[in-house]
Amino acid sequence: MSEKIFAAIITHGELACALADVAENLTVTEIPLHCYSTKILSSEEIIDRLEKEIERESPQKVLLFVDLIGGGCWIIANKLKKNNDNINIIAGVNVPMIISFMINFKRLTWAELLEKVAGDAQKGVVIR
C-alpha cells in the first residue's frame, strides 16, 4: 500500500502509550503511533488535537484503535469519523492487533489490512 496512513491509539488510562511503546520496540517503526489517554486529556482536547494532526498530515487513510466499543474512546473516534470518510475504527485494541498493523500495512490493501488486523487481534486471545 502506497497511501499515506495516520494511526492513533485512544484509550482510558495509560494503555495507549504503553501499547505504542511495546509495538515500536517489537517492530520496525515506519508509521508513528499517536497515543491519547482520556485520563490526561478531555474528549474535546483529544478530538481537537487529532483533527489538527490529521489535517496537517493529510493522510489518505486514518486508523483509530480504541479500547472499548461503546466507551468514551469509541465515542471520540466516531465523532472524528463523522467528519471524515477516510477514518476507520477498530475497538478492542491489543498488542497482536498493533503488531499486525505495523508489519502488514505495506503489503495489503486497506480492506485486507483491516480484516487482517482484526483477525490477528482475535487470534491473540487464547483460553488454555
Side-chain angles (χ1 to χ4, degrees):
M1 173 182 290
S2 61
E3 294 178 305
K4 185 173 181 184
I5 298 172
F6 179 93
I9 307 169
I10 309 166
T11 66
H12 297 89
E14 298 168 6
L15 180 61
C17 290
L19 286 169
D21 287 343
V22 168
E24 290 170 351
N25 286 324
L26 294 175
T27 64
V28 175
T29 304
E30 295 184 48
I31 295 178
L33 293 170
H34 305 266
C35 55
Y36 294 90
S37 167
T38 57
K39 180 179 179 181
I40 298 169
L41 300 170
S42 71
S43 296
E44 294 78 20
E45 289 171 319
I46 293 172
I47 291 168
D48 184 57
R49 288 185 186 190
L50 275 167
E51 284 177 338
K52 287 177 181 170
E53 285 187 62
I54 292 167
E55 183 179 333
R56 184 180 69 246
E57 293 194 23
S58 299
Q60 285 82 31
K61 299 291 182 186
V62 175
L63 186 52
L64 303 176
F65 298 97
V66 300
D67 50 9
L68 298 170
I69 190 168
C73 301
W74 173 261
I75 293 167
I76 290 167
N78 276 281
K79 285 182 180 178
L80 289 161
K81 182 174 177 54
K82 182 178 180 182
N83 299 322
N84 189 331
D85 292 334
N86 295 327
I87 294 177
N88 287 97
I89 305 163
I90 300 181
V93 66
N94 62 17
V95 172
M97 179 187 290
I98 300 296
I99 298 298
S100 179
F101 169 73
M102 298 296 280
I103 63 175
N104 290 299
F105 77 92
K106 276 188 171 179
R107 65 180 196 85
L108 300 173
T109 67
W110 188 248
E112 291 170 337
L113 178 64
L114 296 176
E115 289 298 318
K116 175 81 171 142
V117 167
D120 287 347
Q122 292 172 354
K123 289 177 190 173
V125 177
V126 176
I127 298 172
R128 188 165 176 185

mmCIF file of all heavy atoms in Angstrom, residues 29-71:
data_model
loop_
_atom_site.group_PDB
_atom_site.id
_atom_site.type_symbol
_atom_site.label_atom_id
_atom_site.label_comp_id
_atom_site.label_asym_id
_atom_site.label_seq_id
_atom_site.Cartn_x
_atom_site.Cartn_y
_atom_site.Cartn_z
ATOM 1 N N THR A 29 9.547 0.678 13.101
ATOM 2 C CA THR A 29 8.527 1.722 13.073
ATOM 3 C C THR A 29 8.635 2.555 11.808
ATOM 4 O O THR A 29 9.610 3.258 11.609
ATOM 5 C CB THR A 29 8.667 2.642 14.301
ATOM 6 O OG1 THR A 29 8.612 1.845 15.464
ATOM 7 C CG2 THR A 29 7.568 3.669 14.345
ATOM 8 N N GLU A 30 7.638 2.419 10.961
ATOM 9 C CA GLU A 30 7.584 3.237 9.755
ATOM 10 C C GLU A 30 6.417 4.217 9.805
ATOM 11 O O GLU A 30 6.402 5.187 9.064
ATOM 12 C CB GLU A 30 7.482 2.350 8.520
ATOM 13 C CG GLU A 30 8.719 1.489 8.323
ATOM 14 C CD GLU A 30 8.657 0.684 7.053
ATOM 15 O OE1 GLU A 30 8.342 1.263 5.998
ATOM 16 O OE2 GLU A 30 8.916 -0.525 7.129
ATOM 17 N N ILE A 31 5.462 3.910 10.643
ATOM 18 C CA ILE A 31 4.320 4.797 10.856
ATOM 19 C C ILE A 31 4.304 5.142 12.337
ATOM 20 O O ILE A 31 4.224 4.244 13.177
ATOM 21 C CB ILE A 31 2.987 4.123 10.480
ATOM 22 C CG1 ILE A 31 2.933 3.825 8.992
ATOM 23 C CG2 ILE A 31 1.811 5.003 10.883
ATOM 24 C CD1 ILE A 31 1.664 3.124 8.568
ATOM 25 N N PRO A 32 4.379 6.419 12.667
ATOM 26 C CA PRO A 32 4.296 6.763 14.088
ATOM 27 C C PRO A 32 2.909 6.436 14.639
ATOM 28 O O PRO A 32 1.908 6.634 13.964
ATOM 29 C CB PRO A 32 4.564 8.269 14.124
ATOM 30 C CG PRO A 32 4.410 8.750 12.734
ATOM 31 C CD PRO A 32 4.542 7.581 11.809
ATOM 32 N N LEU A 33 2.887 5.910 15.840
ATOM 33 C CA LEU A 33 1.621 5.629 16.509
ATOM 34 C C LEU A 33 1.351 6.767 17.483
ATOM 35 O O LEU A 33 2.062 6.927 18.467
ATOM 36 C CB LEU A 33 1.705 4.294 17.256
ATOM 37 C CG LEU A 33 1.845 3.052 16.390
ATOM 38 C CD1 LEU A 33 2.161 1.844 17.260
ATOM 39 C CD2 LEU A 33 0.575 2.816 15.593
ATOM 40 N N HIS A 34 0.349 7.543 17.204
ATOM 41 C CA HIS A 34 -0.027 8.650 18.078
ATOM 42 C C HIS A 34 -0.878 8.068 19.206
ATOM 43 O O HIS A 34 -1.769 7.265 18.957
ATOM 44 C CB HIS A 34 -0.822 9.695 17.290
ATOM 45 C CG HIS A 34 -0.099 10.186 16.083
ATOM 46 N ND1 HIS A 34 0.680 11.321 16.092
ATOM 47 C CD2 HIS A 34 -0.007 9.688 14.827
ATOM 48 C CE1 HIS A 34 1.203 11.509 14.907
ATOM 49 N NE2 HIS A 34 0.811 10.527 14.113
ATOM 50 N N CYS A 35 -0.595 8.450 20.440
ATOM 51 C CA CYS A 35 -1.355 7.879 21.553
ATOM 52 C C CYS A 35 -2.035 8.980 22.369
ATOM 53 O O CYS A 35 -1.469 10.040 22.595
ATOM 54 C CB CYS A 35 -0.479 6.994 22.422
ATOM 55 S SG CYS A 35 1.006 7.753 23.082
ATOM 56 N N TYR A 36 -3.258 8.654 22.783
ATOM 57 C CA TYR A 36 -4.086 9.597 23.541
ATOM 58 C C TYR A 36 -4.763 8.880 24.685
ATOM 59 O O TYR A 36 -5.276 7.776 24.521
ATOM 60 C CB TYR A 36 -5.160 10.219 22.633
ATOM 61 C CG TYR A 36 -4.568 11.078 21.565
ATOM 62 C CD1 TYR A 36 -4.231 10.545 20.333
ATOM 63 C CD2 TYR A 36 -4.307 12.417 21.799
ATOM 64 C CE1 TYR A 36 -3.660 11.330 19.347
ATOM 65 C CE2 TYR A 36 -3.732 13.207 20.823
ATOM 66 C CZ TYR A 36 -3.416 12.659 19.605
ATOM 67 O OH TYR A 36 -2.831 13.430 18.642
ATOM 68 N N SER A 37 -4.796 9.534 25.828
ATOM 69 C CA SER A 37 -5.426 8.975 27.023
ATOM 70 C C SER A 37 -6.522 9.909 27.513
ATOM 71 O O SER A 37 -6.301 11.113 27.661
ATOM 72 C CB SER A 37 -4.383 8.808 28.124
ATOM 73 O OG SER A 37 -5.018 8.555 29.357
ATOM 74 N N THR A 38 -7.673 9.330 27.803
ATOM 75 C CA THR A 38 -8.759 10.135 28.378
ATOM 76 C C THR A 38 -8.469 10.484 29.835
ATOM 77 O O THR A 38 -9.157 11.313 30.420
ATOM 78 C CB THR A 38 -10.109 9.402 28.284
ATOM 79 O OG1 THR A 38 -10.000 8.141 28.934
ATOM 80 C CG2 THR A 38 -10.531 9.209 26.836
ATOM 81 N N LYS A 39 -7.437 9.863 30.402
ATOM 82 C CA LYS A 39 -7.015 10.213 31.760
ATOM 83 C C LYS A 39 -6.262 11.547 31.762
ATOM 84 O O LYS A 39 -6.301 12.293 32.730
ATOM 85 C CB LYS A 39 -6.113 9.103 32.316
ATOM 86 C CG LYS A 39 -5.603 9.344 33.711
ATOM 87 C CD LYS A 39 -4.745 8.180 34.177
ATOM 88 C CE LYS A 39 -4.215 8.418 35.574
ATOM 89 N NZ LYS A 39 -3.369 7.297 36.013
ATOM 90 N N ILE A 40 -5.578 11.817 30.649
ATOM 91 C CA ILE A 40 -4.741 13.008 30.549
ATOM 92 C C ILE A 40 -5.467 14.168 29.873
ATOM 93 O O ILE A 40 -5.335 15.315 30.280
ATOM 94 C CB ILE A 40 -3.444 12.666 29.785
ATOM 95 C CG1 ILE A 40 -2.658 11.611 30.566
ATOM 96 C CG2 ILE A 40 -2.599 13.905 29.523
ATOM 97 C CD1 ILE A 40 -1.515 10.993 29.809
ATOM 98 N N LEU A 41 -6.243 13.848 28.828
ATOM 99 C CA LEU A 41 -6.927 14.882 28.046
ATOM 100 C C LEU A 41 -8.435 14.663 28.076
ATOM 101 O O LEU A 41 -8.903 13.529 28.171
ATOM 102 C CB LEU A 41 -6.452 14.841 26.589
ATOM 103 C CG LEU A 41 -4.968 15.071 26.327
ATOM 104 C CD1 LEU A 41 -4.642 14.760 24.882
ATOM 105 C CD2 LEU A 41 -4.582 16.500 26.669
ATOM 106 N N SER A 42 -9.174 15.741 27.933
ATOM 107 C CA SER A 42 -10.628 15.625 27.815
ATOM 108 C C SER A 42 -10.971 15.119 26.416
ATOM 109 O O SER A 42 -10.144 15.173 25.501
ATOM 110 C CB SER A 42 -11.291 16.981 28.043
ATOM 111 O OG SER A 42 -11.030 17.841 26.941
ATOM 112 N N SER A 43 -12.184 14.654 26.248
ATOM 113 C CA SER A 43 -12.643 14.203 24.934
ATOM 114 C C SER A 43 -12.490 15.300 23.900
ATOM 115 O O SER A 43 -12.018 15.066 22.783
ATOM 116 C CB SER A 43 -14.109 13.767 24.998
ATOM 117 O OG SER A 43 -14.256 12.657 25.835
ATOM 118 N N GLU A 44 -12.864 16.524 24.268
ATOM 119 C CA GLU A 44 -12.774 17.655 23.348
ATOM 120 C C GLU A 44 -11.323 17.944 22.948
ATOM 121 O O GLU A 44 -11.041 18.257 21.796
ATOM 122 C CB GLU A 44 -13.412 18.903 23.963
ATOM 123 C CG GLU A 44 -14.916 18.801 24.173
ATOM 124 C CD GLU A 44 -15.298 17.961 25.408
ATOM 125 O OE1 GLU A 44 -14.460 17.767 26.320
ATOM 126 O OE2 GLU A 44 -16.449 17.494 25.435
ATOM 127 N N GLU A 45 -10.413 17.832 23.912
ATOM 128 C CA GLU A 45 -8.994 18.060 23.620
ATOM 129 C C GLU A 45 -8.447 16.995 22.674
ATOM 130 O O GLU A 45 -7.689 17.303 21.749
ATOM 131 C CB GLU A 45 -8.169 18.077 24.911
ATOM 132 C CG GLU A 45 -8.398 19.305 25.765
ATOM 133 C CD GLU A 45 -7.731 19.197 27.124
ATOM 134 O OE1 GLU A 45 -7.771 18.109 27.755
ATOM 135 O OE2 GLU A 45 -7.160 20.216 27.561
ATOM 136 N N ILE A 46 -8.836 15.754 22.883
ATOM 137 C CA ILE A 46 -8.383 14.673 22.003
ATOM 138 C C ILE A 46 -8.910 14.898 20.596
ATOM 139 O O ILE A 46 -8.165 14.804 19.611
ATOM 140 C CB ILE A 46 -8.805 13.290 22.548
ATOM 141 C CG1 ILE A 46 -8.071 12.992 23.857
ATOM 142 C CG2 ILE A 46 -8.543 12.192 21.507
ATOM 143 C CD1 ILE A 46 -8.559 11.752 24.582
ATOM 144 N N ILE A 47 -10.186 15.199 20.477
ATOM 145 C CA ILE A 47 -10.782 15.452 19.159
ATOM 146 C C ILE A 47 -10.082 16.612 18.473
ATOM 147 O O ILE A 47 -9.698 16.528 17.299
ATOM 148 C CB ILE A 47 -12.302 15.707 19.284
ATOM 149 C CG1 ILE A 47 -13.014 14.413 19.686
ATOM 150 C CG2 ILE A 47 -12.875 16.274 17.987
ATOM 151 C CD1 ILE A 47 -14.455 14.599 20.124
ATOM 152 N N ASP A 48 -9.883 17.698 19.198
ATOM 153 C CA ASP A 48 -9.227 18.881 18.630
ATOM 154 C C ASP A 48 -7.813 18.559 18.151
ATOM 155 O O ASP A 48 -7.427 18.908 17.033
ATOM 156 C CB ASP A 48 -9.203 20.009 19.663
ATOM 157 C CG ASP A 48 -8.625 21.291 19.103
ATOM 158 O OD1 ASP A 48 -9.143 21.788 18.089
ATOM 159 O OD2 ASP A 48 -7.619 21.779 19.680
ATOM 160 N N ARG A 49 -7.042 17.874 18.981
ATOM 161 C CA ARG A 49 -5.658 17.540 18.613
ATOM 162 C C ARG A 49 -5.609 16.590 17.417
ATOM 163 O O ARG A 49 -4.792 16.762 16.515
ATOM 164 C CB ARG A 49 -4.915 16.938 19.800
ATOM 165 C CG ARG A 49 -4.600 17.976 20.857
ATOM 166 C CD ARG A 49 -3.775 17.392 21.959
ATOM 167 N NE ARG A 49 -3.606 18.371 23.028
ATOM 168 C CZ ARG A 49 -2.773 18.218 24.036
ATOM 169 N NH1 ARG A 49 -2.031 17.132 24.131
ATOM 170 N NH2 ARG A 49 -2.676 19.140 24.959
ATOM 171 N N LEU A 50 -6.481 15.596 17.421
ATOM 172 C CA LEU A 50 -6.483 14.652 16.310
ATOM 173 C C LEU A 50 -6.931 15.316 15.009
ATOM 174 O O LEU A 50 -6.340 15.070 13.951
ATOM 175 C CB LEU A 50 -7.360 13.440 16.630
ATOM 176 C CG LEU A 50 -6.664 12.345 17.416
ATOM 177 C CD1 LEU A 50 -7.659 11.338 17.961
ATOM 178 C CD2 LEU A 50 -5.621 11.650 16.554
ATOM 179 N N GLU A 51 -7.949 16.153 15.081
ATOM 180 C CA GLU A 51 -8.388 16.871 13.871
ATOM 181 C C GLU A 51 -7.244 17.696 13.294
ATOM 182 O O GLU A 51 -7.013 17.693 12.078
ATOM 183 C CB GLU A 51 -9.588 17.771 14.177
ATOM 184 C CG GLU A 51 -10.882 17.029 14.307
ATOM 185 C CD GLU A 51 -12.062 17.908 14.684
ATOM 186 O OE1 GLU A 51 -11.862 19.010 15.249
ATOM 187 O OE2 GLU A 51 -13.190 17.479 14.419
ATOM 188 N N LYS A 52 -6.506 18.387 14.152
ATOM 189 C CA LYS A 52 -5.386 19.212 13.692
ATOM 190 C C LYS A 52 -4.263 18.364 13.109
ATOM 191 O O LYS A 52 -3.690 18.707 12.069
ATOM 192 C CB LYS A 52 -4.872 20.090 14.828
ATOM 193 C CG LYS A 52 -5.811 21.232 15.161
ATOM 194 C CD LYS A 52 -5.334 22.046 16.339
ATOM 195 C CE LYS A 52 -6.336 23.157 16.646
ATOM 196 N NZ LYS A 52 -6.061 23.832 17.911
ATOM 197 N N GLU A 53 -3.927 17.257 13.763
ATOM 198 C CA GLU A 53 -2.860 16.387 13.265
ATOM 199 C C GLU A 53 -3.235 15.752 11.931
ATOM 200 O O GLU A 53 -2.426 15.687 11.012
ATOM 201 C CB GLU A 53 -2.532 15.286 14.277
ATOM 202 C CG GLU A 53 -1.741 15.781 15.458
ATOM 203 C CD GLU A 53 -1.293 14.638 16.350
ATOM 204 O OE1 GLU A 53 -0.538 13.778 15.868
ATOM 205 O OE2 GLU A 53 -1.716 14.620 17.515
ATOM 206 N N ILE A 54 -4.472 15.282 11.824
ATOM 207 C CA ILE A 54 -4.933 14.663 10.580
ATOM 208 C C ILE A 54 -4.934 15.695 9.457
ATOM 209 O O ILE A 54 -4.483 15.417 8.343
ATOM 210 C CB ILE A 54 -6.317 14.014 10.775
ATOM 211 C CG1 ILE A 54 -6.192 12.794 11.708
ATOM 212 C CG2 ILE A 54 -6.933 13.633 9.430
ATOM 213 C CD1 ILE A 54 -7.506 12.249 12.217
ATOM 214 N N GLU A 55 -5.397 16.896 9.744
ATOM 215 C CA GLU A 55 -5.403 17.953 8.732
ATOM 216 C C GLU A 55 -3.972 18.300 8.307
ATOM 217 O O GLU A 55 -3.679 18.444 7.116
ATOM 218 C CB GLU A 55 -6.102 19.201 9.265
ATOM 219 C CG GLU A 55 -6.209 20.321 8.235
ATOM 220 C CD GLU A 55 -6.933 21.537 8.775
ATOM 221 O OE1 GLU A 55 -7.773 21.395 9.677
ATOM 222 O OE2 GLU A 55 -6.642 22.638 8.280
ATOM 223 N N ARG A 56 -3.072 18.400 9.267
ATOM 224 C CA ARG A 56 -1.676 18.753 8.980
ATOM 225 C C ARG A 56 -0.984 17.673 8.139
ATOM 226 O O ARG A 56 -0.263 17.969 7.201
ATOM 227 C CB ARG A 56 -0.908 18.991 10.276
ATOM 228 C CG ARG A 56 0.538 19.459 10.056
ATOM 229 C CD ARG A 56 1.304 19.705 11.348
ATOM 230 N NE ARG A 56 1.551 18.449 12.045
ATOM 231 C CZ ARG A 56 1.024 18.114 13.217
ATOM 232 N NH1 ARG A 56 0.232 18.930 13.859
ATOM 233 N NH2 ARG A 56 1.297 16.951 13.780
ATOM 234 N N GLU A 57 -1.210 16.411 8.480
ATOM 235 C CA GLU A 57 -0.535 15.317 7.788
ATOM 236 C C GLU A 57 -1.210 14.912 6.478
ATOM 237 O O GLU A 57 -0.603 14.268 5.646
ATOM 238 C CB GLU A 57 -0.390 14.113 8.718
ATOM 239 C CG GLU A 57 0.571 14.410 9.861
ATOM 240 C CD GLU A 57 0.995 13.167 10.608
ATOM 241 O OE1 GLU A 57 0.934 12.055 10.043
ATOM 242 O OE2 GLU A 57 1.407 13.316 11.774
ATOM 243 N N SER A 58 -2.466 15.252 6.308
ATOM 244 C CA SER A 58 -3.240 14.948 5.094
ATOM 245 C C SER A 58 -3.093 13.500 4.620
ATOM 246 O O SER A 58 -2.763 13.255 3.459
ATOM 247 C CB SER A 58 -2.829 15.899 3.961
ATOM 248 O OG SER A 58 -3.093 17.217 4.306
ATOM 249 N N PRO A 59 -3.376 12.534 5.493
ATOM 250 C CA PRO A 59 -3.270 11.136 5.068
ATOM 251 C C PRO A 59 -4.458 10.721 4.200
ATOM 252 O O PRO A 59 -5.530 11.332 4.277
ATOM 253 C CB PRO A 59 -3.297 10.377 6.396
ATOM 254 C CG PRO A 59 -4.151 11.240 7.273
ATOM 255 C CD PRO A 59 -3.818 12.656 6.872
ATOM 256 N N GLN A 60 -4.237 9.690 3.394
ATOM 257 C CA GLN A 60 -5.351 9.135 2.620
ATOM 258 C C GLN A 60 -6.214 8.221 3.489
ATOM 259 O O GLN A 60 -7.414 8.090 3.258
ATOM 260 C CB GLN A 60 -4.837 8.336 1.409
ATOM 261 C CG GLN A 60 -4.329 9.194 0.275
ATOM 262 C CD GLN A 60 -2.887 9.655 0.504
ATOM 263 O OE1 GLN A 60 -2.098 8.972 1.121
ATOM 264 N NE2 GLN A 60 -2.580 10.836 0.010
ATOM 265 N N LYS A 61 -5.584 7.583 4.475
ATOM 266 C CA LYS A 61 -6.293 6.664 5.361
ATOM 267 C C LYS A 61 -5.921 6.955 6.804
ATOM 268 O O LYS A 61 -4.780 7.276 7.111
ATOM 269 C CB LYS A 61 -5.934 5.208 5.055
ATOM 270 C CG LYS A 61 -6.295 4.755 3.653
ATOM 271 C CD LYS A 61 -7.787 4.670 3.475
ATOM 272 C CE LYS A 61 -8.132 4.166 2.089
ATOM 273 N NZ LYS A 61 -9.568 4.199 1.835
ATOM 274 N N VAL A 62 -6.916 6.809 7.681
ATOM 275 C CA VAL A 62 -6.717 7.008 9.114
ATOM 276 C C VAL A 62 -7.281 5.791 9.826
ATOM 277 O O VAL A 62 -8.397 5.354 9.537
ATOM 278 C CB VAL A 62 -7.437 8.279 9.622
ATOM 279 C CG1 VAL A 62 -7.323 8.414 11.125
ATOM 280 C CG2 VAL A 62 -6.910 9.514 8.906
ATOM 281 N N LEU A 63 -6.495 5.252 10.759
ATOM 282 C CA LEU A 63 -6.970 4.140 11.569
ATOM 283 C C LEU A 63 -6.876 4.534 13.033
ATOM 284 O O LEU A 63 -5.807 4.913 13.518
ATOM 285 C CB LEU A 63 -6.142 2.878 11.301
ATOM 286 C CG LEU A 63 -6.625 1.596 11.973
ATOM 287 C CD1 LEU A 63 -8.100 1.319 11.689
ATOM 288 C CD2 LEU A 63 -5.768 0.418 11.526
ATOM 289 N N LEU A 64 -8.015 4.475 13.703
ATOM 290 C CA LEU A 64 -8.087 4.793 15.123
ATOM 291 C C LEU A 64 -8.351 3.503 15.889
ATOM 292 O O LEU A 64 -9.351 2.824 15.659
ATOM 293 C CB LEU A 64 -9.201 5.805 15.395
ATOM 294 C CG LEU A 64 -9.104 7.127 14.632
ATOM 295 C CD1 LEU A 64 -10.327 7.996 14.926
ATOM 296 C CD2 LEU A 64 -7.819 7.852 14.969
ATOM 297 N N PHE A 65 -7.416 3.153 16.765
ATOM 298 C CA PHE A 65 -7.555 1.991 17.631
ATOM 299 C C PHE A 65 -8.118 2.492 18.959
ATOM 300 O O PHE A 65 -7.603 3.459 19.518
ATOM 301 C CB PHE A 65 -6.191 1.349 17.895
ATOM 302 C CG PHE A 65 -5.494 0.830 16.676
ATOM 303 C CD1 PHE A 65 -4.539 1.594 16.031
ATOM 304 C CD2 PHE A 65 -5.769 -0.443 16.192
ATOM 305 C CE1 PHE A 65 -3.862 1.110 14.922
ATOM 306 C CE2 PHE A 65 -5.095 -0.937 15.082
ATOM 307 C CZ PHE A 65 -4.150 -0.164 14.447
ATOM 308 N N VAL A 66 -9.159 1.848 19.463
ATOM 309 C CA VAL A 66 -9.732 2.224 20.761
ATOM 310 C C VAL A 66 -9.856 0.984 21.634
ATOM 311 O O VAL A 66 -9.854 -0.138 21.139
ATOM 312 C CB VAL A 66 -11.100 2.936 20.626
ATOM 313 C CG1 VAL A 66 -10.967 4.212 19.808
ATOM 314 C CG2 VAL A 66 -12.153 2.026 20.026
ATOM 315 N N ASP A 67 -9.989 1.208 22.937
ATOM 316 C CA ASP A 67 -10.019 0.073 23.842
ATOM 317 C C ASP A 67 -11.382 -0.616 23.915
ATOM 318 O O ASP A 67 -11.467 -1.825 23.786
ATOM 319 C CB ASP A 67 -9.495 0.446 25.232
ATOM 320 C CG ASP A 67 -10.118 1.701 25.817
ATOM 321 O OD1 ASP A 67 -11.092 2.233 25.249
ATOM 322 O OD2 ASP A 67 -9.628 2.159 26.869
ATOM 323 N N LEU A 68 -12.453 0.122 24.117
ATOM 324 C CA LEU A 68 -13.765 -0.480 24.340
ATOM 325 C C LEU A 68 -14.817 0.032 23.365
ATOM 326 O O LEU A 68 -15.013 1.249 23.252
ATOM 327 C CB LEU A 68 -14.260 -0.171 25.762
ATOM 328 C CG LEU A 68 -13.431 -0.696 26.916
ATOM 329 C CD1 LEU A 68 -13.917 -0.097 28.221
ATOM 330 C CD2 LEU A 68 -13.499 -2.208 26.955
ATOM 331 N N ILE A 69 -15.494 -0.874 22.713
ATOM 332 C CA ILE A 69 -16.605 -0.475 21.863
ATOM 333 C C ILE A 69 -17.698 0.114 22.762
ATOM 334 O O ILE A 69 -17.995 -0.415 23.833
ATOM 335 C CB ILE A 69 -17.136 -1.655 21.025
ATOM 336 C CG1 ILE A 69 -18.128 -1.158 19.979
ATOM 337 C CG2 ILE A 69 -17.743 -2.726 21.883
ATOM 338 C CD1 ILE A 69 -18.472 -2.193 18.936
ATOM 339 N N GLY A 70 -18.218 1.249 22.368
ATOM 340 C CA GLY A 70 -19.285 1.897 23.123
ATOM 341 C C GLY A 70 -18.810 2.811 24.238
ATOM 342 O O GLY A 70 -19.593 3.580 24.774
ATOM 343 N N GLY A 71 -17.516 2.752 24.587
ATOM 344 C CA GLY A 71 -16.980 3.591 25.655
ATOM 345 C C GLY A 71 -16.645 4.997 25.169
ATOM 346 O O GLY A 71 -16.881 5.364 24.013
#
